[in-house]
């Protein structure tokens, strides 16, 4: 029996595995990098072992250090979680060679499925439907569009869609370079790209006694950069015949490699309903909670049971019930090319309601760093029907209070309420088509009302209490006084607002049209807006005001009463949009080079994603401060482009 378990991972998944361990009476061991020394998964573990360094390659990807940590802490088993070493056959073998229990599939099964090209050959032999690969060297226009994929990894790394034959060589080079950087293997293959396909997967659970469960379907079609954002179970709108076919194919895939434990077989379902095998993930999936909710199971507990040599509890899984939807909450800005965000997470509160579940690796007061994936949490809703689950999840996200870096919370709410999503018209191009509509600029009137609430609460924070306990906003006079002024900049769009207010014998009056102050204290303002009373919650931290209101959440930076003309950025400056590492420059890029507006010049890698820095205008590169391998902070000057006279005239 397992008595002490080391989780070879971090963040949310480590915390989630620890939760099951506590319920089963198993001691827990965490590993952590220097960047994670104060992380939640470290705080929740019974024992923790430091992995010196911050970069994944020096810490969580060092299987030798993880095995040594397990032995030093007295653990008798290792759970890999997902990501990092979870699908590394060599690591699985090293764990077992050290005399430890490996909570995962056999190393041989991992090895067989590790290469997508080899996996497809196996699945073809097992009768699993799949897309035939395309030889890039022999590809013609008739083969387009093509999808390039890294053979050794997933998560969207090394994936490219090619729609023009002339772009194929360059995209192959770029995909191979990204795959080599991410997985240590630059092999890339091509297959037909299915337009408007659905990403549907089947959760499997297999024991060592010839038992294999197919635990329903999940739809994971809503993706950004080939990474999942919203998932649900069961996948809506599939016929019983197609579900049965997917279940049979998933079981066949598991049996073909002698699988043990939790795994996921992923399919692409074309618009005509034909399914094609994509890959098998030989680990627990990020989206496993929706399956747990629908089947009433703890998949981690089943993993531990199977690792201890026990069979599955029954020949067939329990009957599913209801519908579950999961949203991944990321520290990123969808409106700005999904840029990851970093910094202090000042507040993080998600409502606790029946049917809701929160899986997270963060609490308020933690810091979001630059080294790892920007996912903050997963919020899961389970209800008797899909409509009820979607409504519950959207409202929970809307009511959450998240203060600090920009997140994708508003995108998630808008996605869950989009007509296509509500009607289950799902495919992997959802965000390509709808991103602009899902990330609208905030309504000007609503932002001004929120800024007014911030000003009123700021005034209340500076007020004094009289002998009767009533708030005094300065000395009231029987003569008209000049209104007080507060200035705010809305983040991240940068719009500025001037809010005026005046103390009166009855409290505060504000200069915002249609708004009357009903009451205010140091954390809340109640405003009457055109006859409707609304409550605004305001948190003031480090020069910023975070306003949660019925119309949304807003962040403001308090500005001085008068602007400072100094410190303007030189025109044409290319600044780092986030902390990260310069991974490459455009071919031949050097000072004096001629560039075109929109041309990618510099590639930054941050939080497991690659971002391009584009030329702001056509002209000449007059300064270059970036070089491959350079680590930069947000706002660092990377280069300067001097706009040509012709380009300047076009913009005049």
């Amino acid at each position: 029996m397992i008595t002490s378990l080391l989780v070879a991972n971090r963040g949310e998944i480590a915390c989630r595995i620890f939760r099951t361990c506590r319920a089963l009476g198993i001691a827990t061991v965490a590993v952590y990098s220097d960047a994670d020394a104060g992380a939640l998964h470290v705080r929740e573990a019974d024992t923790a072992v430091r992995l010196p360094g911050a970069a994944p390659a020096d810490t969580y990807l060092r299987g030798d250090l993880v095995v040594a940590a397990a032995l030093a802490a007295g653990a008798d088993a290792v759970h890999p979680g997902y990501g990092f070493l979870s699908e590394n056959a060599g690591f699985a073998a090293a764990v077992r060679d050290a005399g430890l229990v490996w909570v995962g599939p056999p190393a041989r099964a991992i090895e067989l499925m590790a290469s997508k090209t080899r996996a497809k050959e196996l699945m073809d032999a097992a009768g699993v439907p799949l897309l035939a690969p395309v030889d890039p060297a022999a590809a013609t226009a008739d083969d387009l569009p093509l999808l390039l994929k890294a053979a050794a990894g997933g998560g969207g790394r090394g994936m490219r869609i090619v729609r023009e034959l002339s772009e194929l060589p360059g995209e192959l080079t770029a995909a191979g370079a990204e795959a080599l950087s991410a997985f240590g293997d630059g092999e890339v293959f091509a297959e037909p790209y299915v337009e408007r396909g659905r990403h549907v997967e089947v959760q499997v659970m297999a024991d060592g006694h010839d038992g294999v469960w197919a635990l329903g379907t999940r739809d994971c079609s809503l993706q950004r950069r080939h990474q999942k954002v919203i998932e649900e179970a069961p996948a809506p709108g599939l016929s019983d015949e197609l579900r049965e076919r997917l279940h049979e194919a998933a079981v066949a895939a598991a049996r073909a490699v002698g699988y043990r434990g939790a795994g996921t077989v992923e399919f692409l379902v074309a618009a005509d309903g034909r399914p094609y095998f994509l890959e098998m993930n030989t680990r627990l999936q990020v989206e496993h909670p929706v399956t747990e909710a629908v089947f009433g199971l703890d998949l981690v507990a089943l993993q531990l049971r199977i690792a201890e040599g026990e069979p599955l509890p029954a020949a067939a899984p329990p009957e599913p019930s209801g519908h579950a939807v999961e949203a991944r909450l990321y520290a990123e800005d969808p409106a700005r090319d999904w840029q990851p965000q970093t910094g202090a997470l000042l507040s993080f509160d998600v409502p606790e309601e029946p049917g809701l579940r929160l899986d997270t690796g963060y609490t308020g007061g933690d810091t979001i760093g630059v080294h790892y994936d920007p996912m903050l949490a997963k919020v899961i809703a389970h209800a008797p029907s899909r409509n009820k689950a979607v409504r519950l999840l959207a409202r929970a996200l809307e009511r959450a209070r998240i203060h600090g870096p920009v997140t994708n919370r508003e995108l998630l709410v808008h996605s869950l309420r989009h007509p296509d999503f509500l009607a289950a018209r799902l495919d992997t191009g959802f965000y390509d088509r709808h991103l602009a509509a899902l990330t609208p600029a905030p309504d000007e009137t609503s932002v001004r009302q929120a800024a007014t609430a911030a000003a009123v609460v700021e005034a209340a924070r500076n007020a004094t209490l009289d002998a009767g306990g009533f708030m005094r906003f300065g000395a009231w006079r029987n003569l008209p006084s000049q209104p007080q002024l507060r200035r705010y900049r809305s983040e991240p769009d940068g719009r500025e607002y001037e809010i005026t207010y005046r103390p009166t014998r009855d409290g505060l009056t504000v200069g915002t049209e249609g708004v009357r102050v009903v009451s205010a204290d140091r954390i809340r303002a109640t405003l009457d807006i055109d006859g409707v009373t609304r409550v605004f919650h305001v948190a003031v931290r480090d020069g910023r005001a975070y306003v949660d209101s019925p119309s949304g959440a807003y962040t403001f930076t308090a500005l001085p009463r008068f602007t400072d003309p100094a410190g303007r950025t030189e025109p044409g400056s290319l600044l780092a949009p986030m902390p990260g590492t310069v991974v490459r420059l455009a071919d031949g890029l050097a000072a004096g080079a001629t560039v075109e507006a929109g041309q990618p010049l510099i590639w930054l890698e941050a939080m497991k994603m690659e971002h391009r820095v584009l030329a702001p205008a056509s002209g000449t590169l007059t300064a270059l401060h970036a070089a491959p391998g350079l680590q930069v902070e947000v706002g660092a000057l990377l280069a300067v482009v001097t706009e040509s006279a012709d380009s300047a005239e076009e913009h005049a």
Side-chain angles (χ1 to χ4, degrees), residues 402-420:
I402 309 166
H403 302 155
V406 174
T407 72
N408 68 335
R409 185 259 300 272
E410 299 297 332
L411 172 88
L412 296 175
V413 174
H414 292 152
S415 299
L416 292 166
R417 291 173 175 166
H418 190 278
D420 280 358

Side-chain angles (χ1 to χ4, degrees), residues 118-135:
R118 290 200 304 272
K120 283 178 176 289
E121 293 170 359
L122 281 170
M123 295 303 101
D124 189 29
V128 177
L130 48 81
L131 289 166
V134 175
D135 180 3

Side-chain angles (χ1 to χ4, degrees), residues 632-644:
V632 297
E633 294 298 322
V634 62
L637 181 63
L638 302 176
V640 178
V641 173
T642 299
E643 189 173 10
S644 66

Side-chain angles (χ1 to χ4, degrees), residues 54 57 116 153 169 221 248 250 260 304 315 328 337 354 380 403 482 499 506 571 575:
K116 292 182 174 63
S221 298
E248 290 175 354
R260 301 288 182 273
L304 295 170
R328 300 190 192 186
D337 197 28
I380 306 100
H403 302 155
Q482 293 298 315
I499 306 300
D506 298 318
L575 307 181

Side-chain angles (χ1 to χ4, degrees), residues 242-618:
L242 179 55
R243 289 183 191 278
E244 187 61 30
R245 188 178 181 190
L246 294 176
H247 289 174
E248 290 175 354
V251 171
R255 293 195 183 280
V257 295
Y259 202 77
R260 301 288 182 273
T264 298
V265 184
E266 301 192 343
F267 299 90
L268 187 66
V269 178
D272 60 7
R274 287 184 294 176
Y276 301 102
F277 171 81
L278 284 175
E279 62 185 0
M280 182 175 186
N281 287 304
T282 52
R283 54 172 169 81
L284 196 67
Q285 291 279 84
V286 178
E287 57 272 20
H288 75 274
V290 293
T291 298
E292 291 185 319
V294 168
F295 282 89
L297 294 169
D298 183 331
L299 295 185
V300 173
L302 285 175
Q303 284 185 295
L304 295 170
R305 175 191 178 106
I306 291 167
E308 291 178 328
E310 293 292 319
L312 289 165
E319 288 296 315
S321 175
H323 200 94
V325 187
E326 171 181 292
R328 300 190 192 186
L329 187 64
Y330 286 99
E332 66 182 11
D333 190 345
R336 288 166 175 77
D337 197 28
W338 310 96
Q339 290 178 5
Q341 307 292 303
T342 60
L345 184 64
L346 303 175
S347 299
F348 185 44
D349 297 306
V350 177
E352 295 183 6
E353 301 286 352
L356 286 178
R357 167 176 163 180
L358 176 69
D359 283 13
T360 182
Y362 291 91
T363 60
D366 289 343
T367 298
I368 304 166
V370 302
H371 299 286
Y372 312 113
D373 187 277
M375 188 175 76
L376 298 179
K378 303 176 310 195
V379 186
I380 306 100
H382 180 227
S385 69
R386 182 177 189 267
N387 286 343
K388 291 179 179 178
V390 170
R391 182 173 63 189
L392 177 62
L393 180 57
R395 182 59 180 148
L397 289 165
E398 190 174 50
R399 293 173 54 213
R401 294 185 186 174
I402 309 166
H403 302 155
V406 174
T407 72
N408 68 335
R409 185 259 300 272
E410 299 297 332
L411 172 88
L412 296 175
V413 174
H414 292 152
S415 299
L416 292 166
R417 291 173 175 166
H418 190 278
D420 280 358
F421 183 83
L422 291 173
R425 294 190 290 265
L426 310 172
D427 66 79
T428 55
F430 181 86
Y431 286 121
D432 293 335
R433 296 191 303 276
H434 300 306
L435 183 60
L438 295 169
T439 55
D443 174 68
E444 184 79 16
T445 300
S446 297
V447 180
R448 178 168 290 280
Q449 291 167 357
T452 301
V456 169
V457 168
E458 286 264 34
R461 289 167 64 89
N462 295 326
T464 58
L465 296 177
D466 62 19
F470 294 98
M471 219 165 260
R472 296 179 59 87
F473 298 95
W476 179 81
R477 297 180 297 169
N478 199 27
L479 296 172
S481 62
Q482 293 298 315
Q484 300 294 312
L485 172 69
R486 292 191 183 274
R487 297 178 59 246
Y488 295 99
R489 181 178 65 240
S490 175
E491 305 295 350
D493 56 45
R495 290 183 292 181
E496 296 187 6
Y497 298 86
E498 290 188 353
I499 306 300
T500 59
Y501 64 90
R502 189 195 308 268
T504 70
R505 72 167 73 234
D506 298 318
L508 287 181
T509 61
V510 293
T512 304
E513 185 177 355
V515 175
R516 179 177 65 85
V517 179
V518 177
S519 64
D521 57 31
R522 287 166 170 78
I523 60 171
R524 159 188 323 103
T526 302
L527 307 180
D528 181 304
I529 301 173
D530 295 326
V532 179
T533 300
R534 305 180 189 276
V535 178
F536 296 75
H537 296 270
V538 181
V540 181
R541 297 282 296 273
D542 300 329
R544 286 194 167 184
Y546 300 92
V547 182
D548 294 288
S549 77
S551 62
Y554 306 90
T555 301
F556 300 98
T557 297
L559 300 174
R561 291 180 61 190
F562 304 103
T563 59
D564 183 357
R568 296 184 181 273
T569 303
E570 188 72 19
S573 296
L574 277 70
L575 307 181
M578 68 209 73
T581 302
V582 177
V583 291
R584 64 187 176 108
L585 306 177
D587 292 341
L589 191 67
T594 300
V595 300
E596 298 295 327
Q599 176 187 346
L601 302 181
I602 300 166
W603 281 258
L604 284 178
E605 186 176 85
M607 300 169 82
K608 295 175 65 178
M609 296 176 68
E610 196 173 83
H611 304 266
R612 302 181 303 169
V613 180
L614 310 180
S618 297

